[in-house]
Structure formats: C-alpha cells, structure tokens
Amino acid sequence: MSDDFSDSVKRTIAARAGYLCSNLECRVPTSGPQDDPAKAVNLGVAAHITASSPGGPRYDFNLSPEERSAASNGVWLCQNCAKLIDNDVARFSVEVLRKWKADAEAEAKARVGKVTASSISDFFMDVSVLNEDASSWNRGANTILRYTLDREENLIKIEDDLGYLALFKQGGPIGPLEYVMSPTYCPFKWDFPILDFKVLNNRQSPLFLSEIVFDIQESRPDPTPLLTIKRDAQQRFAGELHLINEGWTNLTDLNISFHLFPGTIATLSDILSPHPHSIPVPMLEDSVEVDVTEAFRKEGVDIDGLILVSNGRWDQDVFVAPTADGSEERMTEAEMQGRWKICLGRFDTEVGTLVGEISFTSAANVGLKNVVRFTAPVYLVNKNRMGIPKPPSYKYDSAFDVQGINYQRRVQISHSLQPGEADRFTVKVAVAQSSLHRFRATLRDVTGQVWQSVPIQMDCFVPRSRRKRVGDAISPA
C-alpha cells in the first residue's frame, strides 16, 4: 500500500515553496497560465523525501502512514529534479532533500510581501571572476593560473586554467620549474579565485546593500595528481633530480626511466623506450631527492674520482687531493685539470640531461598507471654549495570548505547606490587545497530584499607547496 499525498497536502507543499523548484541549482517556476484563460499549467511534483511504500527511494520503516503522507515529508520539485532524486539516491539523501525544503521555504517566506529583482527590473547583478595582473611574471605563460568563465543558460562555470597542469595531464613533456628565487617558494603565478560583483540600481530610491550570502550546495576535494621537477637554478644539488608533489594526493610506485645525454637539451626529442636507466621511488608525498649518480657512473663518469678531486684544496700553487686509501696526492693545476677531465668522460660540460618518462599511480586513478614524459638537466658539480575595467570600490574575503554539503558563508558588506548608480566589489574565496564547489551568491539590503545569482560551479587550484600561505588565509568562518 502506498501512503500518497492528498491534493490539499500537495497544494500546501507547493505553496510553501513559492511554486518554485526547491533544488538550489534549479529554482525554476513550476506553474503559469495556459492559452486558455480558464486553465493553468503545472510542472511541479510533490516528491516524497522518504518513499511512500516499501522498496521506494529512501524508504523509512520507522515512519507511520500519517507521517509518510504529511506535508513535512514532501519537497516541491520540477518534474526533471523529481526524477533525478529518485535515480540517484546515494547523492540525494534524506538530509539533502530536507535542506532543500528548509532553504526553499525560508526563501519563499522572506519574499512574501516584498518586491524582489525577479519581479521588476529595478536591480541588476552580474557575477564574474577577476584575474590579477601577471605582466611582471617572466617564467612562462604556462605557469600562470587564470580563471575562465563560461555562461550557460542557468549556470556560471568558473574553471582554473593552468597551462602546465594541462600539459601534465596530456603526458608532457614537462621540464624543470623555478623554485629557488621565488619568495613564496612556488613555481606558479597563482591566487585564490576573486569573484567580481557588478551591481546597478535602477530604482527611484537609494539602495543599501549589507550582506552577501554564499549558499554552498557542495564542496569536494580535487585529487588530480600533479608533480613538478625543481630546477637546480643555483647548481647546488649535484647528481640529484628533485621531484615535488604539487597535487593533493600521494603518488605511489613511481618509476623514472630515462636516457642520459651529455650537456643540456632544450627540447625533448623522440626518444623511444626501452630506456637504459630506471630508478624506482616507492612514494612521493611532498618532495623527494632522487640520486642519479649511478646512471652517470654507467655512462663512464668516475663518480668516486670526482668526489675525491672535489674535496681537494690548494696549498699555494699545489693542489692537494685525498686518495681512496686515505693519503693525499699533490699535483699541479694542469694535472688537476687533466684528472678532472678524465673523471668527467664525455660529460665535459659537467652536466647531463635526463630524457624519458615518469610513471606513477595515484588515489585519483586507482589501478591506472599514469605516464608523463620529461626532460631535466642534472649537474655533476656544485657551484654554490660545498659538497582594466573600473577598479572595485572594495575588496572582501571569504573561505570555503574543501569538503562539505549545504553550508553557508556570509560576508558583511556596506554599499549604497543612488538611483541610476552602479558599483563594483570583489570577494576573494580562499580554500585549503584544490577543490570543486557548487553554490549561489545572494545579495541582501538593509530592508531584507534579496537578489540571487544563477548557480555557480567553480574549480579552485592550490599548489601543495603553498600550504603555509593557505594556512594563514583560512580562518574560522
């Protein structure tokens, strides 16, 4: 037996939602006039939060028949959303639907007896994303993080656009990035997304905006893997390849396979496997220093001889170098240079270039092997170490969770707009790590009027190496 809603209960559920779909990302009107002046059209459904009969979506054995057929167990939806919630029960849980119902009824209650921008064109609001000036950045366009915006019929999409990340996803080839000279210790020009609000008051009286409310339907972490190679810009790490994890998932079962060529190679040539050299790395959490001296040794470099000569000293005009048996050997400058050249072999410029690929697995693709091609120079000797529109009137800040469902962030603002006056302000949204977010932004004025954006879907990229700055930016809401 099915505990269905009566007609009067259905009308109550619809009226309490203002005859709008209760899905935060939909909110379409569900009723209106037909061409026949005596009739109306209804596209709404009084959907059960917990099913009306056993075997249905989210059925609750603990409810009585009266509770199942009560208005409290119903949520008003358009026909599309009603079908959606029953086809994806894991995503649309009882808690989610009750939150939809509560928010929709609260919004409808706030609109009763008040004029909103949806009823007359007295207020205009536009939400976009702002990219900061990167003209002074000189490390390549593919290391600049930009946010792109795409407007669909009922959705704003904000996506992060980082050329290096796109290249990495395509399998490379990637090369070393600059870390050392950066005061922020990050190879990318990046920042948190800055939401750009533009508003226009078309009313005949002043308007005083007092608050922005972000209703976040969902936030979830982005486990997309990303590793970089740290450039040895100051030649301090002889014989080492530095890998840094800039994604937010640990990388496992790494294997670095490569050819080794004398000198530096600017571009990656078509080098086919099998590669003569291979180095396994069990785990990459934050960073790892990979010793590649054995590969140089196999290519004819006398690594032990280089170490001995490197540890030598000058005694006036005589060079004194330790020997393998613990004694010392004295030689002229010409003899020392000759010994040095013999130890280097065909790597006479004191540098070799690794050309190959790095394979790994990650939590983002369990059971799938990822492969990225790379090229990176490794030195044999340390040199520096022994051994446009109008600017916004105000900038605000907020912070979203990395993971969460149906929560709010409120930003207190203060803007007055005279009749016909426009204004612009921004909200920088900080997050603790790379994550994906779905939300709406609502502007409120001092009288309680509200203006709501269309749903916004926003991707946020945060380099793992910026954890310290992120920790400073994220504060309790």
Side-chain angles (χ1 to χ4, degrees), residues 125-359:
M125 175 177 69
D126 176 74
V127 183
S128 58
V129 66
L130 185 67
N131 282 305
E132 292 193 341
D133 180 29
S135 59
S136 61
W137 185 259
N138 59 2
R139 300 181 194 168
N142 73 333
T143 61
I144 300 174
L145 174 67
R146 302 185 185 278
Y147 289 97
T148 61
L149 183 140
D150 182 34
R151 298 182 188 274
E152 299 182 357
E153 183 177 355
N154 197 36
L155 178 69
I156 295 175
K157 283 187 177 181
I158 299 174
E159 297 180 339
D160 51 52
D161 181 12
L162 179 65
Y164 182 91
L165 177 58
L167 181 64
F168 183 85
K169 289 180 178 179
Q170 295 168 8
I174 61 172
L177 298 181
E178 180 72 59
Y179 275 82
V180 175
M181 299 305 294
S182 171
T184 57
Y185 198 76
C186 178
F188 306 117
K189 172 66 176 177
W190 80 279
D191 206 335
F192 299 115
I194 301 174
L195 299 179
D196 191 7
F197 289 80
K198 301 179 184 71
V199 294
L200 173 65
N201 181 16
N202 282 330
R203 308 191 323 171
Q204 299 300 312
S205 58
L207 183 66
F208 299 94
L209 301 178
S210 60
E211 188 179 41
I212 303 174
V213 180
F214 292 105
D215 290 289
I216 302 98
Q217 182 185 16
E218 181 184 18
S219 296
R220 53 189 172 90
D222 181 1
T224 301
L226 178 64
L227 67 83
T228 64
I229 302 170
K230 179 180 177 181
R231 186 190 306 277
D232 190 3
Q234 297 185 3
Q235 200 171 330
R236 295 188 177 194
F237 308 106
E240 294 177 347
L241 179 70
H242 282 212
L243 301 181
I244 295 179
N245 185 2
E246 288 290 5
W248 292 89
T249 182
N250 292 339
L251 308 182
T252 56
D253 301 322
L254 290 87
N255 191 67
I256 307 165
S257 304
F258 57 94
H259 286 73
L260 182 56
F261 299 96
T264 56
I265 299 176
T267 58
L268 182 66
S269 56
D270 293 329
I271 304 299
L272 301 177
S273 57
H275 302 287
H277 306 288
S278 180
I279 302 175
V281 177
M283 172 80 74
L284 175 55
E285 296 184 26
D286 295 326
S287 63
V288 64
E289 300 171 2
V290 182
D291 185 349
V292 298
T293 53
E294 187 59 30
F296 279 100
R297 196 189 308 273
K298 291 179 180 179
E299 296 284 345
V301 177
D302 184 356
I303 296 295
D304 297 329
L306 282 179
I307 294 173
L308 291 174
V309 177
S310 297
N311 290 329
R313 70 184 190 281
W314 285 99
D315 184 3
Q316 295 184 354
D317 294 334
V318 177
F319 187 78
V320 182
T323 63
D325 61 7
S327 61
E328 292 184 337
E329 181 181 5
R330 301 173 71 87
M331 62 186 80
T332 65
E333 181 176 357
E335 290 173 332
M336 184 271 289
Q337 294 292 346
R339 178 73 59 81
W340 187 256
K341 187 174 181 179
I342 292 173
C343 291
L344 289 171
R346 63 194 183 102
F347 295 86
D348 54 358
T349 59
E350 301 178 352
V351 61
T353 299
L354 282 62
V355 179
E357 61 185 33
I358 303 173
S359 62

